[in-house]
Amino acid sequence: MNLLNSINDFNEAKSVIPGGVNSPVRAFQSVGGYPRMIKNAYECYLIDEDNNKYIDFIQSWGPLILGHKDFDVINAIKSALERGVGYGAPTVGETKLAKEIISIYDGIDKIRLVSSGTEATMSALRLARAFSGKNDIIKFEGCYHGHSDSLLVSAGSGCATFGSPSSPGVINDFSKHTLVARYNDLDSVESCFKASGDVACVIIEPIAGNMGLVPGEKEFIEGLKKICEKYNALLIFDEVMSGFRASFRGSLEFYNVIPDLVTFGKVIGGGLPLAAFGGRSDIMDLLSPVGNVYQAGTLSGNPIAVAAGYATLIKIKQNKNLYANLEELAILLTEGMKQKAKDYGFSLKTCVRGSMFGFFFNDKEVRNFDDAKLSNTKIFASFHQKMLERGVYFAPSAFESGFICAAMNKEIINKVIEDCEVVFSEMKGQ
Ligand SMILES: Cc1ncc(COP(=O)(O)O)c(C=O)c1O
């Protein structure tokens, strides 16, 4: 595969952009090899600067459930563009999008639009603290909620402890208010509540997609709601990734739990920068200008992003078989990969939730981040590189989810499974 342009362009990018990328995982550091510089995309394909073509299982890290350059989404963007790129004033489109989300996801009276998932979770935490009058938050090891200071925190020594900063620059004064529990482990949550005595909220990806794909178990998610009620803390579902992805109603399809606050992103922006947080009126009305909890954004509710998100939601709502079809493809893919891995002596654990899928080179089922970390990242890196050389673009990290889009079909998935067979046979021979 000729990568000359990608290599040259990436080296040039590194001279002016830290690591050559504007979001670290794009740099391929955990899998090695050169990141491809992408110049174009259509349907489920990416085209790099050397004109190599890839089947894209990242789909812009989730948003593009309809695939690249979906006709209706692009048309909605073009038509919005003709009316100007932004006004810094309220628009009817924002109300329509808010109403649409509220009509789909139970338990939301009001919603505020922001520009990134990071902003959505950061703002939801502030609101939860203001509402409850308490200071601490509980998050889970292996869940990612964006890069605000309170959330860049990992477990201290042992689980169920006050966390420590997971990045230099996050000060202990922030991280000491974040407790980190073990995913799918109610005892560890209870321990955090007892250790703190001052918990404002629990934030969780009910379907975790940032340690690979690890869904919350039903009893765990339902138990979490009960613990939050017992300690009078708010439950925040971070559905930035799983919302409108794992199912039309995100996690609500899988659990009988309605959170107090929920965050969305990715799909609701149709590929443009848009995210949101919402919940009951009594909580949301604390936000400025109704209440005095401050939150704002120059580009919040940008009309182009709103048009793309609204067109996406309407289209996925109209296609009644969409999620069943995407899930069928995800199962076809992961079962095929698992069989081929087994044929060549590799132990692969797989998981599917609607259009999201994950796989671990692991002997054990993965229920939490400790399990995920036991996965063989060297085998993953080799698999990733070889698949890429065959034109199959999986996320460049062993701890990310994959995404099926509406532009994929069985023929494409079967081709990927054949590629897996070739790659596993090569890896076995090494
Ligand atoms: C569950 C979840 N929450 C929050 C975020 C942060 O979103 P953004 O990258 O738009 O800031 C992400 C990003 O991947 C995410 O997966």
Side-chain angles (χ1 to χ4, degrees), residues 116-118 121 144-146 205 210 238 240-241 266:
S116 72
T118 297
T121 54
Y144 176 69
H145 306 288
E205 289 179 80
N210 284 291
D238 180 354
V240 166
M241 189 187 284
K266 300 197 189 257

Side-chain angles (χ1 to χ4, degrees), residues 6 49 84 127:
S6 271
E49 290 285 350
L127 199 50

